[in-house]
Amino acid sequence: MPILPPQQRTDPHPDRTGVRQAEAALVEHYPRLVRLAYVVLPPSLGRHRRVLAAHAVVQRALPAAGSRVRVPRVPAQSRRSGAPQGAEPAPEGAGAEQGPSGAAYGWMRLRVLRAALAHERRPRWWPGRLPAPAALRPAVPVVWGLRLFPRAGGVDELALDRALSTVDGAVRAAFALQLLEGLDASGARELLAGAAVADPGDAVRRAARLGRPDRAGARAMLWSGEFDPCTVQTRPSDLLRRRHRVRAVAAAAALCVVAGGLAFAVDAGTRPADDGRGPAGVAAPALDPARLLRTSPDRWADTSRVDFTAWPARGGRTDDNALLGRALRAWAEPPESVRVSTTPGTAAVPPAEPPQLLFADEVDGAAVVLFHDHADRVVRYAEPLSGSGGAALDFARTDDADVTTGAAVVVSRTADAARFLLAPWIAESTTRDLLAPDTPGRPLEVDPDGVTAAVPRPGAGGACDAWPVIQLRSSERIVEKHAFLLTDLGEPAPTHLTYMPKPGRGTPARQPREATGPDALLAWARTACSLRALAGSGVRSVNNWAFAEQKLPEGGASADWVCTRADTWRGPGRVLVQFLAPAASPAAPAAVVADREDTALCSKFGQHVLAATHWRAGSGRWYVLGAGSRAVTGIRATGAVRGAAGGPTLAVRAPRDADVELTGSLSEGGTLTAVH
């Protein structure tokens, strides 16, 4: 009797089998997929929303059991993903080095990538910023009463996150696919093409510039807790608001009963007198002064988040509901009489929820109200106490503010001076002139509510003969002996000034530090007037990096090279490279030899710099001078004149207007051209 092979059983529902494979891949690699989605999603969502969106993107990527999709079955020993049969082919390269293998994982990864990239293509008003079909499903996950944040990293992780915020989603996706998924450039291009990216090659090329020169370090940072939305810290949402919401729900239920009864008693076309919406459709609770959030006075000393959320409500008119109501209504729908200003990159949209009250009082002939909302903005409303002038409404970004960048807000400004409202953790305040580095600071008076005396403003035009700044010191309950400088660049939030000292022989690269020491003050005395070029551009902080010191020909005097980098609240930076030749006055302005916008130069992700300038010696002879940062091991000059030098500096004789190009050699290999 012949022995027949056992009958092969087939699944009568192949679609269901494919969905089960996809589900298995999702469950097995869920943390990896969520991290990928988190990196690709727009940082403008904020950390809490981005965490929830990353989980939602991955969970919604799983098709429904009855969907007409076929995820291919993959043997356990398979090392690369094949192309699935069905409506959505799996990308190649899913099993590349470092990444999980299997076509089911590759297929799910493609769906996650498409959904994450779709966030940037959705209008800002779209529900959840998700693709249309997903937006119609119930929002998952849902978190009530808590705000979620990945574990805070260090300065390097924050710098990487800011660098990622300056590029679009396709570039972030290419960066993540190579560093998180281990794909090469070709594999990343193919996967991006499958995700409907318009120009995958350009995205991969731009991603290659991120994280340089330490790509291994950038990969480690992407795998750190800063970018892990599965390991999060929690803090409560606003407890007072939650209590108000409970009462509001009860009140709304009662109103619904009343409205339902009225609906039967009136004509079908009659509208209710009050639809619960404020101006421009803003929810009424957001415009109710009684629902404004107020922080307890001592919270700043007992929280790990030392920023504007820790500011208490201060001022003599914090209980003036009429004033607060006018400020909120002007914010929601500014009338034509209200002058509105915004720092670059700041949305002037109405509040979605009741904001936090920071200040309300009379200052310099105006009633001033300061709010902080959950979109990380500070909003200033000011109305004159007398006269016919209109009110003013100012918006400023304050996302990721800290002990220094959240230490002060301009509460009143005139043509010649400004008053600041200081954070509750400021223990000492002085003023000083950056152009007088040897002159000690003068005490700055502060009233009990934290409002300073008038501080002279830097001149916007004419002669630059003074540059006033305020020097603040944090309470020892926050950090011991921490003093820092802030300057007024014409916006609600003052700008933090820092300094990086000259490279020391045999010492590792240094980090920015507070600009309060003698060397920092001397460098800022020569470069302070260049801050005029940054006024009104939304600058968060400015760092002076003394990247080279050069002995000049014909006498041996020394000159310094400084890279002045301005970082904005929205991410992009601007760089001014300045040459500090010997001068008789400690405040003699430096010569700006290069100006570059939207660049990572002179930051964690642009650590190497080479610059050049023409310089005239005392004899009347002209030279081309060049200097590079610590990793520059040699400089070569080509063009109208030729020359070379070992080390980070070069000086060659050249006519005054000679066209000379400098190229530097780096200790780690490669070359560097001079910045212009």
Side-chain angles (χ1 to χ4, degrees), residues 148-479:
L148 309 179
F149 302 93
R151 291 177 177 175
V155 175
D156 295 344
E157 287 82 356
L158 178 60
L160 176 58
D161 195 39
R162 287 183 182 167
L164 291 174
S165 71
T166 65
V167 298
D168 55 39
V171 179
R172 291 193 299 271
F175 186 70
L177 289 174
Q178 293 185 72
L179 271 65
L180 286 178
E181 295 295 295
L183 299 183
D184 57 16
S186 175
R189 281 194 299 269
E190 293 178 10
L191 191 53
L192 292 174
V197 171
D199 191 348
D202 178 67
V204 172
R205 285 191 296 272
R206 292 170 62 192
R209 303 181 194 134
L210 294 172
R212 296 292 182 187
D214 186 10
R215 294 278 281 190
R219 178 184 290 110
M221 282 186 276
L222 280 186
W223 281 109
S224 70
E226 176 81 15
F227 298 94
D228 182 8
C230 290
T231 305
V232 296
Q233 299 179 9
T234 63
R235 66 176 178 85
S237 60
D238 303 287
L239 301 177
L240 292 177
R241 183 190 307 154
R242 282 159 52 185
R243 296 175 184 173
H244 287 315
R245 283 175 175 168
V246 172
R247 297 170 188 157
V249 169
L255 287 174
C256 287
V257 173
V258 174
L262 291 174
F264 287 101
V266 299
D267 184 78
T270 303
R271 295 184 57 189
D274 184 5
D275 61 357
R277 308 296 293 179
V282 182
L287 306 182
D288 185 357
R291 301 195 178 194
L292 287 170
L293 307 179
R294 300 169 187 253
T295 301
S296 63
D298 294 327
R299 179 177 175 180
W300 62 270
D302 297 312
T303 178
S304 60
R305 183 177 177 182
V306 185
D307 58 12
F308 289 105
T309 61
W311 280 38
R314 290 173 288 176
R317 298 186 66 174
T318 54
D319 294 325
D320 186 343
N321 285 345
L323 170 63
L324 301 178
R326 290 195 299 273
L328 289 169
R329 289 191 295 273
W331 180 358
E333 191 175 34
E336 293 184 0
S337 60
V338 174
R339 302 184 306 276
V340 179
S341 69
T342 62
T343 58
T346 308
V349 297
E353 298 176 336
Q356 176 187 352
L357 178 63
L358 302 182
F359 178 82
D361 208 343
E362 299 175 4
V363 184
D364 292 337
V368 179
V369 182
L370 292 177
F371 300 110
H372 177 256
D373 79 341
H374 299 284
D376 285 332
R377 296 173 296 173
V378 163
V379 181
R380 176 183 175 271
Y381 172 82
E383 61 180 30
L385 296 175
S386 61
S388 58
L393 193 62
D394 304 317
F395 295 86
R397 286 184 67 163
T398 58
D399 36 330
D400 293 320
D402 55 22
V403 173
T404 56
T405 53
V409 170
V410 174
V411 72
S412 173
R413 180 184 283 121
T414 64
D416 302 321
R419 296 181 190 270
F420 299 87
L421 177 65
L422 302 184
W425 56 82
I426 298 303
E428 181 181 304
S429 57
T430 58
T431 62
R432 66 183 314 139
D433 182 3
L434 279 186
L435 301 189
D438 297 328
T439 302
R442 299 181 303 277
L444 175 62
E445 293 184 5
V446 181
D447 73 14
D449 286 325
V451 178
T452 70
V455 178
R457 295 181 57 194
C464 183
D465 51 13
W467 197 276
V469 295
I470 57 175
Q471 180 168 320
L472 306 178
R473 183 177 62 80
S474 300
S475 166
E476 294 184 358
R477 297 173 69 181
I478 293 292
V479 59

Side-chain angles (χ1 to χ4, degrees), residues 158 162 397-402 404-406 486 489 491 493-497 537-542 566-570:
L158 178 60
R162 287 183 182 167
R397 286 184 67 163
T398 58
D399 36 330
D400 293 320
D402 55 22
T404 56
T405 53
L486 299 178
L489 292 184
E491 298 175 6
T495 299
H496 181 208
L497 302 181
S537 57
V539 175
R540 170 194 179 102
S541 61
V542 186
D567 285 315
T568 62
W569 288 98
R570 63 191 185 278

Side-chain angles (χ1 to χ4, degrees), residues 111-136:
R111 289 175 62 88
V112 168
L113 196 60
R114 285 177 176 172
L117 289 170
H119 268 260
E120 283 194 329
R121 297 193 290 269
R122 286 282 124 191
R124 293 187 64 85
W125 47 263
W126 193 271
R129 300 285 303 275
L130 290 172
L136 300 178

Side-chain angles (χ1 to χ4, degrees), residues 550-557 615 617-618 623-625 650-653:
Q550 181 175 22
K551 283 196 172 183
L552 300 175
E554 300 188 20
W615 175 78
Y623 291 81
V624 167
L625 305 180
L650 170 139
V652 293
R653 285 281 305 277

Side-chain angles (χ1 to χ4, degrees), residues 592-606:
V592 176
V593 301
D595 186 348
R596 180 80 65 83
E597 293 187 357
D598 296 336
T599 177
L601 198 66
C602 303
S603 73
K604 169 67 178 178
F605 302 102

